[in-house]
Amino acid sequence: MTTMPAYKAIQKGAMTKELISEARSLFSQGLVERLSAHGLDIVESHAKGAYLYDVDGNAYIDGYSGASTYNLGRKNTSAVEVLKQSARETDHGNFVLISEEKATLASRLADFISGDLSCSLFTVVRGEAMDAACKLARGYTGKTELISVDGGWYGETGFSMGLSDRGDKKQFGTLIPGQTIVEFNNIDAAQKSINHDTAAFILEPVQAENHCRKADEKYLRELKLLCEHFGTLLIFDETQTGFGRTGHKFAKDYYGVEPDILVFGEAVTAGVFPMTGLVFTPEVKTFFDAHPLIHLCTFGGHDVGCRVACHMLDQYDAKRPWEQTQKTGKRLMDDLRSLLQDKPEVLDSVSGMGLLVSMRFKDRDVAKDFCVAARNNGLFVVQGAVAKESVVLRPPLTITENEIDQLTDIVKIVMKKI
Amino acid sequence: MELAYHGHSGFSLSVGGKAYYKELFEPLMPGCRLVPFNDLPAIRAIASKRTAAILLEPVQGEGGIHVATDAYLQGLRTLCDELGIILIFDEIQTGFGRTGKIWFSEHSGVVPDIMCLAKSIGGGVCPNGAIVYRDTEQLAGYVNRNPFFHTSSGGGNDISCQVSSKVIDVLLERKLWENAEMMGTRLKEGLTRIMENNASIIKEIRGKGLMIGIEYTQEFMGVLMADCLSNSGIFAAYSGNAPQVMRFMLPLTVTETQVDEFLNRFKKAVSIQRLYLFFLLPLSKIPIVRKWLNEDDILIPVNVLLRKFGM
């Protein structure tokens, strides 16, 4: 058990200033300005559990967790050992070949994820996993249309960007044709758009970047029926909701709705190694039976990464962090909701599920000010990528109740400053 | 470019040159057009002020080891400068010393506007990838105004960055591109000697540094040779986009003894291949049989059958 660092207002130190100033020429002036304006001008030195430390020794609660990836805590000790040992014993292998590592992870995932999602494909980044899912849906169904919902965010590659609710995507030209976005949680809108040419309906059960907006249970159940009726695949992106984040192994388990393809994120290695992927049903796999090696990825199914992921699945099974997350998540949510009365003119609502919690402010400037004040008081948080007036709190799932209280105390201090 | 290979996600697939990877997933991005590689008039005919970028691998890897000529790359640079087009080199396979220079672009002296890096940047240990771009107002200015235009949670992760920095250190300390140049020449000369004695099997040896392609006389031979080589203890892949071409991308640290050992095994594999061909070559003269042989679905069972007879 590590001791919790006491709350201390942050002193921006010389090291941080120096490195930030170096970043101006290496990356861009704009980046540095943007980071500073949004309370993201932190230069990490090391991290442990729910905390990260900057190069000047200031401690922060990690309220971002690498966008919901460090579910089992920063710098997970045994994960580091497995990573070191694996790197000594193997390397990334050969992506065209089968390996024991890939096979072991695939079979572990089939056991770990409930239901019929027993086949897998490994990728490196979220967007690529979503692109592969869309391709699989088009390939399997022989149909072209892809439908998603407003408020979604799936990554930065071709297919995923087109499906995301992203204001500036037009600057990248005409993206993948045949992609439609309909209103979230509106079954009539879904019904109007789905037809016999729809390959897939794609959504996140909880939209992390959009004020953690949740799908209605009824909506998902009806959507599933609708998809079945039209021979459309249902794709869940559980990049941010998977591996216990919502207080359930996967959000689909809470809803009791089974997708045909599920995209999972870096939480599969608990953020220790870059790896994402998708799992799908044996029925959908028949496409790959007929068309092997049609989606390749040099680093997908990296042998070192697979070993790390297998170890993390053992840890997930042993610790069952989703159980603790139900308690800590509720505690966090209740505490934050109690703040709603204090400053209703600034804080508009609190929503989410488990330890994926969002505070929505009056506008994006207030949200930005919140992040800056949080940074200055030892809490690292980031605004929602879609709902920029929201700030998402997603600490490692290993965070203790005491640490949650400390987080809430910081939020209270911050609320007084904005 | 025709025969190009840039990856499997949305944008990259859309500019890819192999139908198998694309056709079942269409429609892909509109506004991407393919032209023949090393053909300047062809690209001149379609490039305009509306063209955002010209994108190519300076040595087409999957496409079958086609090396861009200096004149072609210089011609592209001039064309891009004339029309305000961004020139992008995908140096994912050619970069980090593979072709006998740190970057392929050094051979011709043509500097692209954007260069894509991946694969060897991770030293076989950690996934990583990057683009580097020229410090021009157009490019750096855009990034400056849109610092979050492309984010990636795994991209530039701290562990991979440490590994990649070390990869660069080792590359520079050991001047591995010099070894790539020397060993590449040794390998190419050895393979050329084998080709001279086996003209019915090997059509051409080409490439640069340790990025070498062997073109067989017929498409089905790539698959067969992969099998013969694996029986002789060499793991080799035929090109995804050109199955009659096999690529050899030995590690840049390879030694003379290893290259010679490789050549011995290769020679052995060619003699096994000759046995196969004793049956297959006469058959392949019949057009319909040749067509069948060039289909993986048919060739693989044939191969398995031949093996049953102890071949």
Side-chain angles (χ1 to χ4, degrees), chain A residues 30 131 135 138 156 171 292 298, chain B residues 10 20 25 27 119 142 144 151:
Chain A
D131 282 21
K135 286 166 66 183
R138 276 189 176 175
E156 309 259 355
Q171 64 177 322
T298 303
Chain B
Y20 176 68
F25 308 127
K119 292 190 195 271
Y142 173 78
N144 195 31
T151 55

Side-chain angles (χ1 to χ4, degrees), chain B residues 38-40 68-78 107-108 110:
Chain B
N38 262 342
D39 182 345
L40 202 55
T69 63
D70 289 354
Y72 183 58
L73 295 180
Q74 281 148 5
L76 287 181
R77 183 69 270 176
T78 311
H107 291 293
S108 62
V110 171

Side-chain angles (χ1 to χ4, degrees), chain A residues 288 290-295, chain B residues 17-25 240:
Chain A
F288 287 136
H291 304 91
L293 301 175
I294 200 166
H295 183 96
Chain B
K18 187 180 180 181
Y20 176 68
Y21 292 139
K22 297 166 78 171
E23 59 194 6
L24 294 168
F25 308 127

Side-chain angles (χ1 to χ4, degrees), chain A residues 27-31 34-35 40 44 66-67 69 83 87 91-92 94-97 124-125 128 131 135-136 138-139 144 153 156-159 161 166 168 171-172 174-178 266 272-274 287 290-299 302 304, chain B residues 5 7-14 19-31 62 92 118-129 133 135 140 142-155 157-160 235 237-238 297:
Chain A
F27 303 113
S28 72
Q29 173 79 16
L31 175 70
R34 191 77 70 89
L35 290 174
L40 304 175
E44 271 193 39
T69 70
L83 177 60
D91 55 17
H92 89 247
N94 271 296
F95 66 99
V96 288
L97 302 185
V124 180
V125 295
E128 189 205 348
D131 282 21
K135 286 166 66 183
L136 178 54
R138 276 189 176 175
T144 54
W153 187 277
E156 309 259 355
T157 48
F159 282 88
M161 189 159 54
R166 177 175 165 161
D168 64 347
Q171 64 177 322
F172 304 116
T174 314
L175 300 173
I176 304 274
E266 296 86 345
V272 177
F273 198 91
F287 175 73
H291 304 91
L293 301 175
I294 200 166
H295 183 96
L296 305 172
C297 175
T298 303
F299 295 131
H302 195 294
V304 173
Chain B
Y5 181 90
H8 291 263
S9 52
F11 279 92
S12 345
L13 190 62
S14 304
Y20 176 68
Y21 292 139
K22 297 166 78 171
E23 59 194 6
L24 294 168
F25 308 127
E26 284 168 343
L28 299 171
M29 308 264 179
E62 291 283 329
I92 289 171
K119 292 190 195 271
S120 52
I121 195 177
V125 183
C126 274
N128 212 354
Y133 50 90
D135 191 2
Y142 173 78
V143 177
N144 195 31
R145 289 185 297 278
N146 302 278
F148 292 127
F149 83 99
H150 187 95
T151 55
S152 168
S153 27
N157 75 84
D158 289 353
I159 295 180
S160 296
F235 167 48
Y238 59 94
D297 293 352

Side-chain angles (χ1 to χ4, degrees), chain B residues 283-302:
Chain B
L283 284 172
S284 71
K285 298 262 187 312
I286 309 163
I288 182 79
V289 178
R290 187 165 63 235
K291 193 173 164 288
W292 288 343
L293 286 173
N294 288 338
E295 301 273 337
D296 278 10
D297 293 352
I298 293 172
L299 184 61
I300 291 165
V302 168

